[in-house]
Amino acid sequence: MSTLLKIRNLSAGLQGRRAITQVVSNVDLDVEAGEILGIVGESGCGKSTMAAAILRLLARPQALQSGSMQLTLEDGETYDLLQMPEKKLRQFRWRRLSYIPQGSMNSLNPVLRVRRQMTDTLVEHGLTKEEALGRAGEVLEQVNLEPRVLDSYPHELSGGMRQRVIIALAVSMRPALVVADELTTALDVVTQRQILQQMAAIRDELGTTFILITHDMGVVAQVADRMAVMYAGRIGEVGSVKDVFASPLHPYSQALIASIPQQSGQRVEGLSGEAPSPWNYPAGCRFHPRCPRVFEPCSEQAPALRPQGSGRWAACHLFEPQFEPQNVSDQ
Amino acid sequence: MKNARILIGVVMLAVILAVALIGPSVVDRVLFPDESPTSRGSYRPYQLASTAHPIGTDGDGRDGLAVFVSSITPSLAIGLIAGLISTSLGVALGFFAGYAEGRLDTLLRILIDMVLVIPTLPLLLMLAVYIERWDLYKLALILGLFGWAFVARVIRPQVQSLRERSYVDLARLSGENTPEIIFLELLPPLLPYIVYVLSLAVVGAMLAEAGLQIIGLGAGGLPTLGFMIAKGFREGVIGVGLLGQMFLPAGALIVVFLSLNLINTGLDQIFNPRLQTTIEGR
Amino acid sequence: MRDLLVVEDLQQVFKGRKPIYAVDGVSFRLPEEPTILNLVGESGSGKSTIARIILALLRPTAGHVLYKGVDIFTRDRKWKRQFRAEAQAVFQDPYSVYNPVYKVERVLKLVIRKFGLASSAAEARQRMEESLRAVDLRPQEVMGRYPHQLSGGQRQRLMLARVYLMRPRLIIADEPVSMIDAGMRASFLNILLDFRDTYGISTLFITHDLSNAMYLGGEIIVLYQGRIMERGETQGVTKAPLHPYAQLLMSSVPVPDPSRRWEEDVTGLALAEGGPSTSSQRQRCLFAERCPQSMDVCWQARPILRIPDGADMAARHVACYLYQEEQKRG
Amino acid sequence: MVAQETETMEAAEVSGRREAVHYIVRRFGIYLFTLWAAFTVAFFVFRMVPGDPMTILLGQLSRAEGQLDPEEAEVIIAHYREVFGLDEPLYKQYVFYLGNSIFRGLDFGPSFVAYPTPTRDLIVQRLPWTVGIFTTSVLLAWIAGTGLGAVMGWLHQRRLTGLAVAVSTLLQITPVYLVALGLIIYVGFALRWLPPGGPYAAHLQPTWNWEFISSLLRHAILPMLSVMLTLGAGFTLGMRALMISVLGEDYLTFAKAKGVLPLTILKDYALRNALIPQVTGLAIVLGATLNGIFIVEVLFQLPGLGTLFVQAMGLRDFNTMQGIVLFSIFAVLTLTLIVDLALPLLDPRIRKTV
């Protein structure tokens, strides 16, 4: 497997009332070609900002963005998304990487028929009208929708159908990468399962890579190959879903997994305290005020994300060799 | 003060109020001691601006500046009284309609819409035919009675949306009865909005008052800014060169409207944070 | 044995050009002893409407709700006050449940005043602090604040503090954890369990998220378009659901365990329209068009909720012809 | 399964059509009801004003026409009473009044301003002035304001728009009659660029020659300008706010992500959505501006409905005043109905919810 997207030292922020606030800080992340990568974290941890930052959709005056995002396509060409001029980026988006925004129930224009909203995108990316219409029907079929959906207005469709239209749109140009932000929030469980399986089917069929951003550990466990755990704008841990669920390294991942309600009778304890807001991130490791295993260096120095063997990464002083050596295997 | 608009608006309003309240006595005592500048025939009419009469004298032989400063208070008073009347009527009806359900609500909505389409100015003019002597309170009362529909129309949906909040349910579960829910739960959060609507109603009433005077309520014309403008226009003060007697009252009206507008949009910026969009906020 | 709450043939029709049957013939009961009853269903299944009816916030079109044997829509003011004191709610949205102009402790002060829970200001203060501590909130961090200054989790816990303060017999919790973070969720549910075990408070727990119901245990009612499809002990129903809808629902829960992934592909299944049923074709099973095992009879008459034939599951009720031998044969 | 879905979609289409019909019928019903209710309120307002209109009329008559023969006056008044049925009980008067409104097309008998011309004919005579000058300027103001506001909203972070917003705000809060006065005084009297009032040069006769038409147009500029400046500023600010709020919607972010051309986003995504409330705004403003228009007509001495009303008021011409009020209610409600019926063309969602 080759690396599709190499994110290095990515920071993104928002213009607040007084100052620019970094919401995402120094993120390093590799996205492998053809995988479903889940990014999990509590609300307000910067997941959505990161999704928008990858697409460079943060509006200019409000956002700052730094670092590098190297996208390597099948043909070996490499592009730095952060350096790309706006005009080129507009062509590049959707053809190479597309986006399913949060609240995608409201992402369709209420006054245009689905047909128009699908074809205007495709025509914009170089297809003729006929080709565009053909392609639209094709991708709708791929997500199990009738072609007559084309003639509907968004409000005439159910939430699940709208979500499918959005997915069809997102893959209509056969992009290499799709960033899906809270794909199934606000859908019923049955519909959620249908949508998630749909996504997996598209990945199998077309080899599309997905970044799936969610707060639901169950969703990640069901469909993702690898996962990254985010906390307060930083990545805490990266690894395959199986490994992370089986033996989480970072104390935050441990707490997240431990607090999942399982069966009645087996009581689990929640994580105490609140996630900090971007306006007052703590110094050092941002998790240290809530961490059950906090020790001296945590409040002073931010741990770096380092490889821990077998494709796993963690950012925690417990695994830093210069500090007190810890036995990791007992986690 | 956090908001520049509110600050500017408040300063402008304060200046106007100061002129309205202190102005007459200052003019009387400082500029015209031992005279009565606002009595008819005190001076030769249509005098041009001079040190004795900064904006000249009007057609009735009164000092223009003295007339101007004494006209502000009645204008503001009419606006305020009429605004208070229409706002309280409108809020009461808006709450009633917003709290009612089903057919009653539909009926009230149609009633409000219907009153809104009845052109007020012609009706006011018609009333003017029958009311022999206007005084400030009569005019304010009538303007107020004609302005409630607009208030009710904007309050009703606000009440409806608040009523859907679950804190209203919680209040009921906590043992509050309907009057308590209306006065303790629904009214307080709406107060800033009601103040906003009140200021719109005040502006509307002042506008209508000045309009009535200009179109010729005439006979018993009240000493307001609108009357001064209308009188100046009829007497052709511009032709004589007495620009100030026209522009000063018109300017004062605009300053009042502008200051209220600034305060309102400033308040809106504070209470309606939609303009500051952030991605993380969602 | 006298029941704490009896819900009898409840029906709620929202009139319009197309009447909507939000709740359509729902009956169940809560026993006197402390229990947890889970009411699960998708959006539009009528679960929140049922909650509002039981709280006497909404008058049903037909049917009765009896609390300790008395109709809750009685005109008896004294009884009603007592009922308000004994049946309390926790709502879904921890934001809109606070009046933005008041400090948060007003929700506590109000019930103290209205239900006479303290005889002096000092006692009131003491009881407030005690109840805050009972739900792991530090009084000095919460009191004197406005709702927007607290986090979602704190706000929702404050609702539990209010319930703790009132010590009701019954809590109706309508999606109380759907808007708070995962880390906080478990501790919230634990408090409900503690309330049952320590203070004998029953909970009617309304949710679309089955994992919460599984964690709480007790009994479960599965709703679909305003009707009960299946009812029984939570453990049994979630492990081995009988009704095809319940089966689909249970199998679609995203279990947070990568070793137990979904196997069967359901993408081809008809999409849920989700909405509550309208008047057309009500005399049939409402799940028929999505049901993989539907039979002719399913389209002809409404299946009644009853104990499945040939099963030794006394507590289980299903509204499905698959478990009614005479229908299956004929 | 798929077949089932197809069926529901077909059913949806049929019910969609039925819903459209239902929408139209319902709107029309509300229109008729509101019309009836407004006419009824007007009826009682007219009847409730203190004093017997006939007594006032009589006094007014002798004052206005001085040497009017008392007998002649008696005849006129008797005629009035008969036409109005003023000697009848109130409910009969009301029935008569409604009958007049419906079956005789808003005819309430002879006017007094131009006795014996019927009120309705008088209104019809004056109408072209009001419609030609004011309705045109409201529409022009709406088009210009909407366009300008859209541009300002689209570019809302540029510095220049700040100034434009300030100017628009100032214009918007200034009452239309003050702008009119300012224009009359400055452009009309001080600069003498354009005639300060009157429908056309006094020495001309209304004929279809260039001299007359150009005079007509020159006289129309200032009144139209005063209406357009104030209303246009309001429309501009309204549209700007709508655009800014639409720009924050999810579907706009999504459109950007899709790589749709900025021009397409502006046209199909931002404008179309922002226009929906803006069209509703037009209907409301059409009703509300009637007041200001009356004053502007009087200030510019244009022979429209406003001037007619003031003349009628001077003569206590009960008939004409009532006729004008009812006519304007009728016009505003009808315009609102037309806008309401046109709205579903812009917004497909309205066909579903009323």
Side-chain angles (χ1 to χ4, degrees), chain A residues 14 17 23 44-46 48-49 52 58 62, chain B residues 269-270 273 275-282:
Chain A
L14 296 171
R17 262 173 209 239
V23 179
C45 74
S48 291
T49 306
L58 295 171
Q62 288 126 318
Chain B
Q269 274 181 342
I270 292 174
L275 296 172
Q276 298 136 9
T277 42
T278 59
I279 297 219
E280 209 58 25
R282 290 184 295 179

Side-chain angles (χ1 to χ4, degrees), chain B residues 120-215:
Chain B
T120 44
L121 191 85
L123 283 187
L124 282 171
L125 286 170
M126 279 197 38
L127 282 177
V129 173
Y130 294 103
I131 294 177
E132 286 294 313
R133 281 190 49 79
W134 284 99
D135 63 32
L136 195 147
Y137 300 102
K138 247 185 230 164
L139 184 56
L141 178 74
I142 285 170
L143 284 172
L145 288 177
F146 276 97
W148 60 266
F150 145 77
V151 180
R153 186 183 169 127
V154 295
I155 291 288
R156 180 181 150 274
Q158 298 282 335
V159 174
Q160 275 180 330
S161 93
L162 271 191
R163 210 181 54 146
E164 293 300 309
R165 303 266 191 102
S166 33
Y167 78 73
V168 176
D169 282 344
L170 196 79
R172 199 167 280 286
L173 294 181
S174 303
E176 285 196 339
N177 54 30
T178 304
E180 282 174 321
I181 284 178
I182 288 177
F183 289 105
L184 298 179
E185 306 296 337
L186 298 178
L187 198 57
L190 276 183
L191 275 179
Y193 188 72
I194 291 173
V195 171
Y196 165 76
V197 173
L198 171 68
S199 81
L200 290 184
V202 168
V203 169
M206 289 177 71
L207 230 136
E209 184 271 332
L212 267 180
Q213 302 265 22
I214 287 169
I215 205 171

Side-chain angles (χ1 to χ4, degrees), chain C residues 242-245 247 285 287 291-295 297-298 303-304 306 308-310 318-329:
Chain C
L242 295 179
H243 195 286
Y245 171 66
Q247 289 170 350
C285 173
F287 188 60
C291 183
Q293 302 175 66
S294 67
M295 306 173 288
V297 62
C298 304
I304 48 166
R306 60 179 224 189
D309 284 340
V318 190
C320 178
Y321 290 122
L322 289 173
Y323 305 96
Q324 297 178 13
E325 287 303 328
E326 70 274 25
Q327 296 293 347
K328 216 174 165 183
R329 264 183 257 112

Side-chain angles (χ1 to χ4, degrees), chain D residues 199-212:
Chain D
Y200 42 81
H203 64 275
L204 294 174
Q205 288 297 314
T207 42
W208 287 112
N209 59 34
W210 174 243
E211 197 192 0
F212 174 74

Side-chain angles (χ1 to χ4, degrees), chain B:
Chain B
M1 186 74 67
K2 287 159 275 178
N3 196 301
R5 285 175 191 240
I6 298 182
L7 187 67
I8 299 171
V10 167
V11 169
M12 281 168 66
L13 199 61
V15 169
I16 282 282
L17 282 176
V19 173
L21 297 177
I22 318 167
S25 49
V26 171
V27 170
D28 272 9
R29 294 206 191 117
V30 180
L31 289 179
F32 306 101
D34 317 316
E35 292 174 50
S36 50
T38 51
S39 312
R40 280 159 201 252
S42 290
Y43 314 101
R44 191 163 49 79
Y46 300 122
Q47 286 181 51
L48 291 182
S50 63
T51 38
H53 303 288
I55 60 167
T57 57
D58 71 358
D60 290 336
R62 300 177 298 178
D63 177 68
L65 188 66
V67 172
F68 166 65
V69 291
S70 62
S71 302
I72 304 175
T73 311
S75 272
L76 288 173
I78 287 178
L80 195 66
I81 297 171
L84 281 172
I85 293 172
S86 57
T87 307
S88 29
L89 280 177
V91 166
L93 205 88
F95 261 78
F96 186 58
Y99 212 79
E101 281 174 340
R103 267 170 220 283
L104 183 59
D105 175 48
T106 313
L107 215 68
L108 285 168
R109 203 183 64 216
I110 292 178
L111 173 85
I112 292 168
D113 282 352
M114 179 198 83
V115 175
L116 271 177
V117 298
I118 297 180
T120 44
L121 191 85
L123 283 187
L124 282 171
L125 286 170
M126 279 197 38
L127 282 177
V129 173
Y130 294 103
I131 294 177
E132 286 294 313
R133 281 190 49 79
W134 284 99
D135 63 32
L136 195 147
Y137 300 102
K138 247 185 230 164
L139 184 56
L141 178 74
I142 285 170
L143 284 172
L145 288 177
F146 276 97
W148 60 266
F150 145 77
V151 180
R153 186 183 169 127
V154 295
I155 291 288
R156 180 181 150 274
Q158 298 282 335
V159 174
Q160 275 180 330
S161 93
L162 271 191
R163 210 181 54 146
E164 293 300 309
R165 303 266 191 102
S166 33
Y167 78 73
V168 176
D169 282 344
L170 196 79
R172 199 167 280 286
L173 294 181
S174 303
E176 285 196 339
N177 54 30
T178 304
E180 282 174 321
I181 284 178
I182 288 177
F183 289 105
L184 298 179
E185 306 296 337
L186 298 178
L187 198 57
L190 276 183
L191 275 179
Y193 188 72
I194 291 173
V195 171
Y196 165 76
V197 173
L198 171 68
S199 81
L200 290 184
V202 168
V203 169
M206 289 177 71
L207 230 136
E209 184 271 332
L212 267 180
Q213 302 265 22
I214 287 169
I215 205 171
L217 186 61
L222 296 163
T224 63
L225 293 172
F227 184 67
M228 192 175 173
I229 297 169
K231 188 166 178 288
F233 183 67
R234 270 199 295 275
E235 293 173 351
V237 288
I238 297 295
V240 196
L242 295 164
L243 292 167
Q245 292 186 23
M246 202 78 196
F247 287 116
L248 224 48
L253 277 180
I254 293 177
V255 167
V256 172
F257 295 167
L258 186 63
S259 61
L260 287 175
N261 181 285
L262 284 172
I263 295 172
N264 275 336
T265 50
L267 286 177
D268 192 50
Q269 274 181 342
I270 292 174
F271 289 111
N272 191 0
R274 175 154 199 173
L275 296 172
Q276 298 136 9
T277 42
T278 59
I279 297 219
E280 209 58 25
R282 290 184 295 179

Side-chain angles (χ1 to χ4, degrees), chain A residues 117-134:
Chain A
Q117 300 191 49
M118 295 193 78
T119 50
D120 67 358
T121 315
L122 293 166
V123 168
E124 180 57 41
H125 290 291
L127 273 65
T128 66
K129 265 245 155 77
E130 291 74 45
E131 283 171 352
L133 212 57

